[in-house]
Amino acid sequence: MRAAVFEEPGPAAVLRIVEREMPAVGAGEVRVRIVLSAVNPTDTGTRAGRGVPDGVSPPRVPNQDGSGVVDAVGEGVHGLEPGDPVWVWDAGYGRENGTAQEYVVLPRRQVVRMNEDVPFEVGAALGIPALTAHRCLTLASDGPARLAPGALDGRTVLVAGGAGAVGNAAIQLAKWAGATVLTTVSSKEKADLAVAAGADAVINYREEDVVARVKELAPGGVQVVVEVNTENLRTDLSVIAPGGNIGIYVAGEVTVPSFKAMLKNVSLDFVLTYTTTTEEKDNAVAAVAEAVNSGAVKVGEEAGLPILRFPFERVSDAHEAVEQNAIGKVVVEVTQP
């Protein structure tokens, strides 16, 4: 089989495609033929040598997320059979083998069946973005531990960066769960994408006063903020409702206006999907799978997340596209559906 490998950290050019032996499948494991391998910022960071520490050194096959078809199952595996369409998560975290290869073997828990009518593009776009979004939306002590239809009824959510992959997932999952969703963007192009994702109101922060607009739309404040930029914290604290939750899923220095936060008894939470608890991750996977199979989560420009496709031979170009902040979801075509 073919695999994209980097022998040492570096720029995207360190990736090269090599021939490898087909991996054997052991007890409790599933071998997946990867159709689409997704590229996330954490994937490019790991390749560049600045990723989340996980104790694994190169050589490595990058990319955490992907979709494909079950090729073989090991002893003791239930609920999956060869030929089933699936999506996978955290494939390369703490392991040498991510999804940028034709076949990958994973523990059963990390392979999720999807309905036959779910496009592989949707499956590849889940993983890190959708599971991160789910965690951010379920941080509240008085909120649901797992999203489902109606779980966020009566709540208003503010999603910062609604045209990004996590922002898109947060909008779709929050709407599926019954929330009113406001989002911020930086351009007309991104505003159109956020509307396509299903946001109830979109605020262009380059042209509008975010605090004034949110207070107009949600006079009592928003209950949850899904935050992509630590510099927005003062704005978040101005619009959050008493007892609200702010979930930050991006690295950065934080200066907290503590008195302002104290006055509202606000919770500030930091989210990294890799290191959430087993229960939190299982809840996220189950909820995302339900939403996807019900048709509530979609991708493509018509759903607010354009798909940028690269052939396997151009895996380096796919990594570069992510590093250059391409708008949309970057996927690598590893094998044919």
Side-chain angles (χ1 to χ4, degrees), residues 267-286:
S267 293
L268 179 62
D269 298 273
F270 297 87
V271 173
L272 182 66
T273 181
Y274 298 130
T275 54
T276 53
T277 67
T278 298
E279 181 180 6
E280 289 164 353
K281 184 61 74 71
D282 286 347
N283 280 337
V285 170

Side-chain angles (χ1 to χ4, degrees), residues 174-228:
K175 290 299 298 178
W176 173 67
T180 297
V181 181
L182 318 179
T183 189
T184 59
V185 296
S186 61
S187 69
K188 173 64 166 62
E189 176 189 9
K190 291 181 178 180
D192 291 342
L193 293 175
V195 169
D200 294 288
V202 181
I203 305 163
N204 184 334
Y205 65 80
R206 296 192 189 279
E207 299 178 352
E208 301 178 76
D209 182 324
V210 175
V211 173
R213 184 71 174 127
V214 172
K215 287 184 175 181
E216 177 186 336
L217 294 164
V222 300
Q223 284 74 43
V224 177
V225 177
V226 180
E227 187 54 75
V228 68

Side-chain angles (χ1 to χ4, degrees), residues 87-165:
W87 57 278
V88 305
W89 53 269
D90 287 9
Y93 181 70
R95 306 172 65 255
E96 296 175 355
N97 290 290
T99 61
Q101 56 187 336
E102 292 180 327
Y103 294 87
V104 65
V105 172
L106 292 166
R108 167 66 181 90
R109 178 170 173 260
Q110 290 174 244
V111 182
V112 188
R113 198 189 190 288
M114 56 188 189
N115 290 348
E116 302 283 346
D117 60 350
V118 176
F120 286 110
E121 289 83 357
V122 171
L126 302 174
I128 290 171
L131 302 181
T132 298
H134 185 278
R135 181 62 192 139
C136 289
L137 293 167
T138 55
L139 289 166
S141 59
D142 63 343
R146 171 179 165 179
L147 295 181
L152 295 179
D153 279 356
R155 298 187 183 232
T156 301
V157 173
L158 174 63
V159 177

Side-chain angles (χ1 to χ4, degrees), residues 232-313:
N232 292 336
L233 190 54
R234 289 184 180 277
T235 295
D236 296 339
L237 288 172
S238 294
V239 301
I240 195 79
N245 293 79
I246 302 171
I248 296 178
Y249 64 89
V250 66
E253 296 295 322
V254 179
T255 299
V256 181
S258 57
F259 187 64
K260 199 170 189 178
M262 290 164 58
L263 283 173
K264 293 185 176 181
N265 284 279
V266 170
S267 293
L268 179 62
D269 298 273
F270 297 87
V271 173
L272 182 66
T273 181
Y274 298 130
T275 54
T276 53
T277 67
T278 298
E279 181 180 6
E280 289 164 353
K281 184 61 74 71
D282 286 347
N283 280 337
V285 170
V288 170
E290 181 184 351
V292 168
N293 286 336
S294 71
V297 175
K298 297 180 173 64
V299 299
E301 190 160 0
E302 66 280 6
L305 191 69
I307 299 297
L308 309 177
R309 305 172 70 98
F310 289 81
F312 195 25
E313 294 75 13

